[in-house]
Amino acid sequence: MILGRGLASGKVILFGEHAVVYGRPALAVPVTQVQAEAVVEVGAPGSGLTIVAADLGEQIVVRDAPADQPLAAAARLALAHLGLANPDWRLTVHSTIPVASGMGSGTAVSAAIVRALAAAKSKSVNQQTPALAPKRSAGASVSKSATRNTQYAVRNTRYELTAVELSALVYEVEKLHHGTPSGIDNTVIATGQPVYFVRGQPPQPFPIGRPFWLAIADTGIRSPTKITVGDVRLAWQQEQTRYETLFDRIGAVAEAARSAICAGETEALGPLMDANHALLQEIDVSCSELDALVAAARAAGALGAKLSGGGRGGNMIALVTEPTASTVADALRSAGAVRVIVTAVEQAAG
Ligand code: PMV
C-alpha cells in the first residue's frame, strides 16, 4: 500500500554559477520536464526504513548506511524533523534528471524523499487516529503560494513542511554532494519558482516579464560539482584579486539579466549569456565539448548560449525562440549533445 509520494523538479542556473559561492547573485529556474519521484510503501515488519534506488539497482538499509550516504542522509534528516523513529517503510526513488550534469539531480532526489516521508507520516497518523482528526476539509487552507508543493493534505491532519524548512533540510545533504554549496540548488528546487539568490540572504522569487525559451543540451560528460567548485577555490586562493574581479563581473551580468527578465526584454539576455560564458571560460570551468555546443547553438540561430552549473561537462543552455527551437536543438544533437530539452521559462502557476 502506498503511504506517500513526493516529487521534485530539476533546475538550471541561468546566470551566476561559481561566483554565487563567493557571495555574488545568481538566477536559477525549475525545469519541470525532468523530475525525481519518491514513493513510500509499507515494508516488512522489523525492516526499518529501506530505500530502493531503482535507477541504480541499489537497496539501502537506512540504519546500516554510512553517515555520508546521500539518500540515507536525506531520509534520516526527514525522519528526525518529522519525529519518526525508524518506521518499517520501503521508499522507492526514480529520477529522470541526468546525474552530475548541473540539473540538480541529487538535490531533487533529496527533496522528493523528504516530501514523500512527510506525506507518509500524514497518511499513517490519520490511519492510526481517525477519530481524533479535526473535522475540517482537507486542503481547505492550502496556500497558492510558492510553498504549494510542500504541503500535504491527507484526510484531515497533515504535516506541513514550508519551502524554507524543506530547503534547509536538503541543504544539509547538499553539503555531502558539494562540499561548500552556495544553497542555490536547494532553494530553487524547494520553492519550485525562478529564484534570484545571494548566499546568506532570503531567496527572492523574481517575476518573468515575458516568457522565453531555452534549449538545454547535455554533453553526456558527468562532472561532479564538488570537483569544479574545489578547483575554482584553489585557483581563487592563488589569484584572489583576479578571481574577485571575475566574480564581480559575473555578478554584474546576473544583475543585468534579472532586470532584463523582469522587464520582459528577452533579447538582452542573449549577449548576457555570451558574456557569462566567456567569464566562465576565464575561470576555467568550461571544456571543449561545452564550447562546441555553445558555438553550434549560436551558429544555428540561438540568441546566446552558456554552460550551466558546475561546468567541465554536464549541460549548457541556449536562448531560443519558438521558431528557432527545433533548428537549434537539431544543431546541438549534430554537435554531440546526448539529450536536448526545450523548455519555456515562465512564471510558475500560483
Ligand atoms: O549543481 P550544479 O552543477 O548546478 O552547480 C551548482 C552551482 C555552483 O555555483 C557551481 C555551485 C554552488 O554551490 O552554487
Side-chain angles (χ1 to χ4, degrees), residues 11 13 17-18 20-21 102 178 180-185 225 229 309-310:
K11 69 97 207 355
I13 296 183
E17 50 273 272
H18 286 289
V20 69
V21 176
H178 278 199
T180 54
S182 64
I184 190 167
D185 281 16
T225 302
V229 168

Side-chain angles (χ1 to χ4, degrees), residues 22-338:
Y22 299 81
R24 275 55 165 201
L27 307 178
V29 294
V31 178
T32 52
Q33 281 96 336
V34 284
Q35 289 200 318
E37 181 185 41
V39 175
V40 180
E41 295 165 280
V42 176
S47 61
L49 182 62
T50 305
I51 300 176
V52 180
D55 310 316
L56 307 175
E58 275 178 31
Q59 183 148 319
I60 300 149
V61 178
V62 169
R63 75 173 144 239
D64 300 337
D68 61 354
Q69 206 298 328
L71 305 189
R76 284 194 194 104
L77 285 161
L79 293 179
H81 185 84
L82 294 163
L84 291 166
N86 186 19
D88 296 333
W89 289 347
R90 181 182 158 89
L91 187 155
T92 305
V93 182
H94 285 282
S95 174
T96 56
I97 308 171
V99 175
S101 59
M103 291 197 72
S105 155
T107 317
V109 165
S110 299
I113 288 174
V114 176
R115 285 175 166 154
L117 289 171
K121 172 162 178 175
S122 297
K123 183 153 185 172
S124 62
V125 167
N126 279 301
Q127 280 172 343
Q128 285 159 22
T129 58
L132 298 177
K135 283 191 178 146
R136 61 185 162 90
S137 63
S141 62
V142 170
S143 155
K144 286 189 178 168
S145 72
T147 58
R148 69 197 184 292
N149 291 333
T150 64
Q151 304 200 1
Y152 302 91
V154 179
R155 284 204 198 166
N156 297 316
T157 302
R158 63 178 181 226
Y159 291 88
E160 293 183 0
L161 211 55
T162 65
V164 171
E165 286 172 315
L166 177 64
S167 184
L169 286 174
V170 173
Y171 183 71
E172 291 305 309
V173 189
E174 283 292 285
K175 291 187 196 164
L176 301 175
H177 288 293
H178 278 199
T180 54
S182 64
I184 190 167
D185 281 16
N186 46 292
T187 301
V188 67
I189 286 171
T191 60
Q193 294 267 25
V195 164
Y196 169 88
F197 181 87
V198 179
R199 191 172 190 165
Q201 295 181 14
Q204 298 175 37
F206 63 95
I208 310 288
R210 185 153 54 100
F212 56 94
W213 292 81
L214 294 177
I216 306 169
D218 192 345
T219 58
I221 301 168
R222 302 291 159 248
S223 175
T225 302
K226 194 170 183 167
I227 293 176
T228 51
V229 168
D231 287 352
V232 171
R233 183 157 298 274
L234 284 177
W236 170 79
Q237 281 163 350
Q238 281 158 18
E239 289 184 274
Q240 274 202 23
T241 310
R242 176 165 168 258
Y243 270 70
E244 286 293 327
T245 305
L246 290 168
F247 295 151
D248 281 344
R249 289 169 62 195
I250 292 173
V253 168
E255 287 290 358
R258 176 166 80 155
S259 303
I261 292 171
C262 293
E265 291 163 0
T266 311
E267 322 67 46
L269 292 180
L272 290 169
M273 284 167 109
D274 293 343
N276 198 161
H277 186 70
L279 290 162
L280 289 163
Q281 286 174 315
E282 281 201 58
I283 64 171
D284 196 23
V285 292
S286 194
C287 62
S288 56
E289 292 84 353
L290 280 166
D291 291 343
L293 293 184
V294 164
R298 289 178 189 151
L303 301 170
K306 64 180 277 294
L307 72 85
S308 176
R312 301 230 186 104
N315 280 274
M316 55 75 71
I317 55 176
L319 183 66
V320 295
T321 58
E322 268 184 288
T324 60
S326 63
T327 313
V328 173
D330 287 346
L332 286 165
R333 283 186 207 98
S334 301
V338 296

